[in-house]
Amino acid sequence: MVEAKVNWVDGERFVSSASSGHAIVIDSDRHRNTAAGPMELVLQGLCACTATDVVSILGKKRELFTAVEVRAEAERATTPPTVYTRIKLIYTITGKVSRKAAEDAVNLSEGKYCSVSAMLKSTAQISTEIILDDSAGGYVDESAKKK
């Protein structure tokens, strides 16, 4: 079982920790803005989840990538609960990567592997864009080959 907890610090600021032993500060007060807010962390989690999948899949396909960036642009409902209603994920993959391999990796992440995406689909329409940048040389993730 995974566990998480928050402890109130002041105002709308909390220290959160999880069963992994890692802690972060969360600030729900967007005017004070001393740390990421809960909804920002949801988007960051989505980006990290799908990026992990894409890196793993491209590595297993022996695609020569040097960088993977996933950026999210999101819209929220106008009335509470202000859930995400639209999310656009923009993948920028640098290196010698075929379009088909990139599309396959993104589709597998979205349709099969990314747990965060699977949860958000119940309230948000998620779309994707893939930008390939082959201006840099390639890199094969050695750890992905061994899996």
Side-chain angles (χ1 to χ4, degrees), residues 30-116:
R30 298 317 332 142
H31 297 289
R32 184 167 69 172
N33 199 28
T34 62
M39 292 300 284
E40 287 177 306
L41 292 170
V42 169
L43 275 186
Q44 290 174 328
L46 172 61
C47 290
C49 183
T50 189
T52 299
D53 297 337
V54 168
V55 164
S56 176
I57 293 164
L58 291 177
K60 288 175 183 173
K61 289 177 171 279
R62 297 179 185 245
E63 292 290 325
L64 302 174
F65 63 93
T66 57
V68 174
E69 175 186 272
V70 180
R71 185 167 52 90
E73 297 174 350
E75 297 175 18
R76 292 175 66 178
T78 56
T79 57
T82 56
V83 297
Y84 288 116
T85 56
R86 291 182 188 273
I87 302 170
K88 181 178 183 181
L89 294 172
I90 300 127
Y91 297 79
T92 302
I93 302 170
T94 304
K96 304 293 182 190
V97 176
S98 75
R99 173 141 312 266
K100 180 174 180 351
E103 289 172 352
D104 288 350
V106 168
N107 290 335
L108 280 168
S109 176
E110 182 181 1
K112 184 174 183 179
Y113 295 114
C114 182
S115 305
V116 180

Side-chain angles (χ1 to χ4, degrees), residues 4 11 16 18 22 26 48 54-55 64 66 78 80-81 89 95 100 117 120 122 127-129 133 136 140-141 145:
S16 174
H22 299 286
I26 301 171
V54 168
V55 164
L64 302 174
T66 57
T78 56
L89 294 172
K100 180 174 180 351
S117 177
L120 287 171
S122 66
S127 62
T128 60
E129 177 183 345
D133 177 2
V140 175
D141 180 1
K145 286 185 192 178

